[in-house]
Amino acid sequence: MKKNLNHTIIPFFILVSTLILGVFCVYAKDFNPLFLTTLCLFFVLAILYRNNFNKTLVTIARTLVGALFLFSGFVKGVDPLGTQYQIFDYFAAYGTLWANPLSMPLAFILITTEFVVGAALILNIRIPFMAWITVLMMAFFTVTTLLDATIYSDKITDCGCFGKAITLTNWQTFYKNIVLNILVVILFFGRYRIRNTFSLKNEVMIVFVTTVLFFGFQFYNLRHLPVIDFMDWKKGAKLNPPKTEPVTYVFQYKNKETQEIHEFDSRNLPADIATNWVFVDMQINDPNPPNLMIPIFDQNNEYGQDVANFVADFPNYVFIVAMYDVQKASLKNMKKIFALQDFARENNYMFMFLFDLNVTGEAVEKFKQKVGRSDLDIFYSDDKSIKAIVRSNPGLILLKNGVVIDKWAWRDVPSIEKIQKITK
């Protein structure tokens, strides 16, 4: 009975409980000592019973870890430029800006490794070797996300583990990594219980082809735009949706006599709120879709809320040529862009250039000289907002009534004939 308990029931209990805790990570957005202690307890239990997980439980852990790595690599591979921006943030937080030129190669290597390891785990390829790589990667990810949640929380608000597909808080990410580490412990110590599915020759071929194809997939997304757009300004997004549902406010007050904390709706505050209660906190519940419009400033750098609202409410078509770095922007397709500008003005459409706020007047004048045009309607926004709306420098965005009609990288700027078909 004791042997059956150690080799069947307890390992099964550890695995199932770990999966349940993984679900609860969604709700643990901040530091929670009880939840963290529970996760660490099951991590220790997994180590203590590391040799008692049978082949079935190891296979489940292998599949789950592989699937998560595969998904994480794919959603980042869709948007390698976004991963590069995230690495920029890490270099800035760690004070290693000198390493910025390495950010794109690092992004490609990190994303590809994650995807290929995930695929290998799923396909049961060289599990002992892949288990070692997984352990090393998870050790790096866990330490990094712990630093994000504690030391660098004001500089790193999202590790970008799942690109823009899923956004987690720093603590959610750290909790998720502990859950994943429990599965990795099961996988690592049971790695020799899993037999290879393919021959060595076929395994090498599968890994090689997967690596090459995924590199090509990332390169395509880098040169054009993400084939799946997870960003707020995706095609069809409404930037400034009307508020149709009422916004509610929930107030937390502490009773001066009992010291108990109660929640009150803004419409049913007690009559003695000013004398017998102490304000603690307020929560705003807005069921309406978020306003996605970025701040836009005019040429005098005055606050551009009015400009942003004007763009979002403009009843006709709006063309935005967005450049987060004017000096590094590609000018190869500017003839097409200026042809579209002339076409837009002929049809009373709005055509605007959106530059980074930090660009100097001298850089703007140099840009005008390079392109040979001075009749540009230039507006400004912060570089992070510009990077968040289109992954190209420059990129072209077409709006109407505050809805994103389409987006293009500078390599794919459409012809006037195509725009005419869209605007008919």
Side-chain angles (χ1 to χ4, degrees):
M1 178 64 183
K2 184 177 180 181
K3 182 178 179 181
N4 186 54
L5 180 69
N6 289 339
H7 288 270
T8 306
I9 299 177
I10 294 181
F12 179 79
F13 169 75
I14 293 173
L15 180 59
V16 172
S17 299
T18 298
L19 299 182
I20 294 173
L21 289 171
V23 174
F24 277 99
C25 288
V26 176
Y27 305 99
K29 296 183 178 181
D30 300 309
F31 175 66
N32 187 320
L34 178 60
F35 187 63
L36 179 58
T37 302
T38 304
L39 289 173
C40 292
L41 173 63
F42 276 92
F43 180 74
V44 172
L45 286 174
I47 294 177
L48 293 176
Y49 287 87
R50 61 189 179 276
N51 295 319
N52 295 340
F53 292 91
N54 59 36
K55 181 180 177 180
T56 300
L57 297 181
V58 174
T59 300
I60 293 173
R62 169 182 65 83
T63 305
L64 291 174
V65 173
L68 195 63
F69 269 53
L70 200 68
F71 174 75
S72 178
F74 176 79
V75 294
K76 288 200 287 283
V78 166
D79 182 19
L81 205 56
T83 302
Q84 183 192 36
Y85 296 156
Q86 194 66 45
I87 293 175
F88 281 161
D89 291 342
Y90 273 104
F91 285 160
Y94 295 159
T96 54
L97 292 176
W98 54 267
N100 274 352
L102 302 174
S103 57
M104 183 53 71
L106 286 175
F108 264 70
I109 292 171
L110 173 64
I111 297 170
T112 304
T113 302
E114 195 170 9
F115 184 85
V116 171
V117 169
L121 291 175
I122 292 289
L123 297 175
N124 205 12
I125 295 174
R126 296 289 118 182
I127 296 303
F129 177 70
M130 293 299 170
W132 270 107
I133 296 180
T134 305
V135 167
L136 294 175
M137 291 181 69
M138 284 309 304
F140 173 76
F141 291 154
T142 304
V143 172
T144 300
T145 53
L146 177 61
L147 294 176
D148 293 347
T150 54
I151 299 177
Y152 300 107
S153 59
D154 58 331
K155 298 178 181 179
I156 305 292
T157 57
D158 174 26
C159 74
C161 298
F162 298 116
K164 290 297 180 182
I166 300 176
T167 302
L168 302 175
T169 67
N170 288 334
W171 280 110
Q172 282 177 315
T173 304
F174 178 64
Y175 297 146
K176 178 264 297 179
N177 282 342
I178 296 181
V179 170
L180 198 54
N181 279 327
I182 297 173
L183 299 177
V184 170
V185 167
I186 299 172
L187 166 65
F188 182 78
F189 288 100
R191 63 192 184 278
Y192 291 111
R193 297 172 192 166
I194 305 297
R195 293 184 178 180
N196 297 332
T197 304
F198 306 96
S199 65
L200 177 60
K201 180 181 178 180
N202 288 336
E203 287 179 336
V204 171
M205 182 60 66
I206 292 171
V207 171
F208 176 77
V209 171
T210 302
T211 302
V212 171
L213 290 178
F214 196 66
F215 249 95
F217 175 70
Q218 292 182 79
F219 192 64
Y220 177 87
N221 290 311
L222 179 64
R223 287 178 59 84
H224 301 279
L225 289 183
V227 294
I228 303 176
D229 195 347
F230 292 112
M231 294 182 290
D232 291 336
W233 281 50
K234 55 181 172 289
K235 188 176 178 179
K238 176 69 174 175
L239 304 183
N240 192 16
K243 292 186 177 295
T244 57
E245 298 293 331
V247 179
T248 60
Y249 301 86
V250 178
F251 297 92
Q252 289 185 348
Y253 279 89
K254 182 168 66 175
N255 189 286
K256 292 181 179 179
E257 294 182 3
T258 64
Q259 300 300 308
E260 294 181 352
I261 296 178
H262 293 266
E263 290 187 350
F264 300 102
D265 188 271
S266 57
R267 294 164 293 186
N268 62 353
L269 294 175
D272 59 344
I273 193 72
T275 56
N276 296 330
W277 298 84
V278 177
F279 175 79
V280 177
D281 196 8
M282 179 183 72
Q283 180 180 350
I284 303 175
N285 296 323
D286 188 352
N288 299 289
N291 187 336
L292 305 179
M293 196 63 205
I294 63 173
I296 298 177
F297 302 79
D298 61 18
Q299 296 190 25
N300 295 320
N301 285 347
E302 295 178 356
Y303 182 65
Q305 189 60 45
D306 292 338
V307 178
N309 289 336
F310 181 76
V311 171
D313 297 334
F314 193 71
N316 218 328
Y317 290 96
V318 178
F319 293 80
I320 300 178
V321 179
M323 300 185 192
Y324 65 84
D325 191 332
V326 173
Q327 295 178 328
K328 294 182 180 180
S330 175
L331 307 180
K332 292 183 179 179
N333 247 350
M334 278 298 159
K335 287 185 177 180
K336 266 191 173 183
I337 289 176
F338 289 124
L340 288 177
Q341 176 181 270
D342 296 336
F343 167 79
R345 289 177 176 174
E346 291 171 2
N347 290 273
N348 296 319
Y349 302 151
M350 183 187 295
F351 198 100
M352 59 190 296
F353 286 80
L354 192 61
F355 290 170
D356 174 26
L357 268 172
N358 295 320
V359 67
T360 63
E362 181 182 356
V364 172
E365 289 305 318
K366 284 184 178 180
F367 174 79
K368 290 180 179 180
Q369 291 174 8
K370 284 182 180 180
V371 299
R373 295 287 292 257
S374 59
D375 56 334
L376 309 181
D377 292 326
I378 299 176
F379 294 85
Y380 302 87
S381 188
D382 62 282
D383 65 325
K384 284 194 173 183
S385 293
I386 298 175
K387 290 176 180 177
I389 63 177
V390 63
R391 298 299 203 212
S392 182
N393 187 39
L396 177 65
I397 307 161
L398 180 62
L399 310 172
K400 186 178 183 182
N401 290 322
V403 176
V404 179
I405 304 300
D406 214 334
K407 297 160 62 173
W408 299 272
W410 64 263
R411 289 183 175 88
D412 308 311
V413 172
S415 64
I416 293 178
E417 290 74 21
K418 184 174 181 179
I419 292 296
Q420 284 175 328
K421 291 180 180 179
I422 295 175
T423 57
K424 269 189 179 179

